[in-house]
Amino acid sequence: MGRPAVRALALDGWDVRAASRGGGRDDSWPEDVRAVRVDRDEEGALSAALGDGCDMLVDMVAFGRDHARQLITLADRIGSAVVISSGAVYADDRGRGFDTQDVPDGFPRYPVPILESQPTVAPEDTTYSTRKAALEQELLASRLPTTLLRAGAVHGPHCRTPRELFFVKRALDGRKVRVLAFGGKSRFHPVHVSNVAEMIRLAALRPGSRVLNSGDPTAPSVAGIAAAIDRIMGLETETVLVDGPAPVGDVGMSPWAIEHPMVFDMSAAERELGYRAVTGYEESLPATVDWLVEELRGREWTDAFAKMAQRDGDLFKYAEEDAWLAQRK
């Protein structure tokens, strides 16, 4: 998300310093963007990078209370902030959320669509969801004007955990059949990196303390996503739909598979920021697919996307799937 955010702000007239652990640049950035090497967890590093201060700070990698308090201690040198949170903070009316999906009857059933007023999980220091909730709580209670963007399923080139990989690699591997759990109806609201960048650009012009959903104009079903990738890659894949969860093991499951839809209401962003999406899911998909194909060329997917492999394990259990399909005949 940082790459297009830097570009959007620079093109909007901001003097941008792009801080990252690697200190590298993106080819799309204007020449006057200054890239600096910063590890925000190194004592004093972020403070030193801020120098005399900035009108606005964008934090793409904030997690938990410690990072929130780090920003708050620097508030006298920051005009306002935009900080990336996550839709994972939401809880349903029974307290279920992302952290309960693996327990019986644990899939959350959110209202459709989800408003920012929806309850969140308890702020703690234990999981991704609870740490993001703690981050939000600390920043919203501070004197630093902060826009928190609750991002959906982020997609686009350079994503380290691209959900589209699941279907792109299957296509490259010559898989002619796919199995989709939950009838292929799973909807997990996506957000393209350029739409996140647009929200950051707009929030920079309208500082305030708020939380806003961050999503694309539509939330396609997993079956729709798979079919769109087929069209881009010039393929035709047979789809087998399973009414419920995986019939055995992980058959039919994908990074998009959720039992009940997670769809954001985007009216608050439209009202408060004047947000209009710059792209849609299918419109942006060809560039993502091309990037994935290139990243996989001559490489194991576990090397190309090590973070995803570490988080999700083996996503391509073809033998398990083939055995189940053979039993159906």
Side-chain angles (χ1 to χ4, degrees), residues 191-209:
V191 60
H192 190 261
V193 291
S194 63
N195 286 331
V196 177
E198 176 66 0
M199 291 192 71
I200 291 170
R201 184 188 73 82
L202 293 170
L205 300 173
R206 300 168 177 83
S209 292

Side-chain angles (χ1 to χ4, degrees), residues 54-276:
C54 63
D55 295 298
M56 196 264 293
L57 181 142
V58 181
D59 196 338
M60 318 297 297
V61 289
F63 296 94
R65 290 186 175 91
D66 288 347
H67 287 168
R69 291 169 182 171
Q70 180 188 44
L71 298 182
I72 293 167
T73 61
L74 300 170
D76 60 338
R77 286 186 278 160
I78 302 171
S80 68
V82 180
V83 177
I84 301 300
S85 184
S86 169
V89 301
Y90 285 121
D92 70 5
D93 59 3
R94 292 174 53 187
R96 298 173 298 189
F98 277 35
D99 295 333
T100 64
Q101 292 184 58
D102 294 331
V103 303
D105 194 30
F107 269 89
R109 189 186 289 270
Y110 300 114
V112 178
I114 302 171
L115 296 168
E116 287 86 348
S117 56
Q118 179 71 18
T120 65
V121 298
E124 297 175 355
D125 300 319
T126 52
T127 68
Y128 175 87
S129 301
T130 62
R131 290 176 70 203
K132 284 291 192 182
L135 170 80
E136 289 190 0
Q137 183 187 67
E138 293 282 338
L139 288 171
L140 291 173
S142 75
R143 59 188 176 87
L144 176 63
T146 304
T147 297
L148 288 144
L149 300 181
R150 289 176 176 166
V154 179
H155 64 102
H158 304 291
C159 182
R160 296 174 66 193
T161 54
R163 291 171 174 83
E164 291 77 14
L165 172 70
F166 184 80
F167 296 117
V168 171
K169 177 171 164 51
R170 289 177 64 91
L172 293 174
D173 291 342
R175 300 293 294 180
K176 302 299 183 183
V177 180
R178 60 171 161 256
V179 184
L180 297 179
F182 306 120
K185 297 177 181 178
S186 297
R187 297 170 69 204
F188 186 176
H189 205 134
V191 60
H192 190 261
V193 291
S194 63
N195 286 331
V196 177
E198 176 66 0
M199 291 192 71
I200 291 170
R201 184 188 73 82
L202 293 170
L205 300 173
R206 300 168 177 83
S209 292
R210 57 170 81 94
V211 292
L212 295 172
N213 290 331
S214 182
D216 287 345
T218 60
S221 69
V222 63
I225 290 169
I229 291 174
D230 274 4
R231 289 193 293 272
I232 292 167
M233 300 186 74
L235 302 172
E236 187 171 335
T237 306
E238 178 187 351
T239 300
V240 176
L241 301 178
V242 176
D243 286 339
V248 62
D250 292 323
V251 172
M253 302 300 284
S254 77
W256 295 99
I258 54 176
E259 185 172 359
H260 306 297
M262 185 175 194
V263 179
F264 291 161
D265 186 296
M266 292 301 300
S267 60
E270 295 168 2
R271 182 175 61 252
E272 296 193 26
L273 301 182
Y275 169 68
R276 295 293 183 272

Side-chain angles (χ1 to χ4, degrees), residues 1 3-4 155-160 192-193 284 287-289 291-292:
M1 291 180 285
R3 295 169 187 258
H155 64 102
H158 304 291
C159 182
R160 296 174 66 193
H192 190 261
V193 291
S284 67
T288 301
V289 171
W291 173 74
L292 284 168

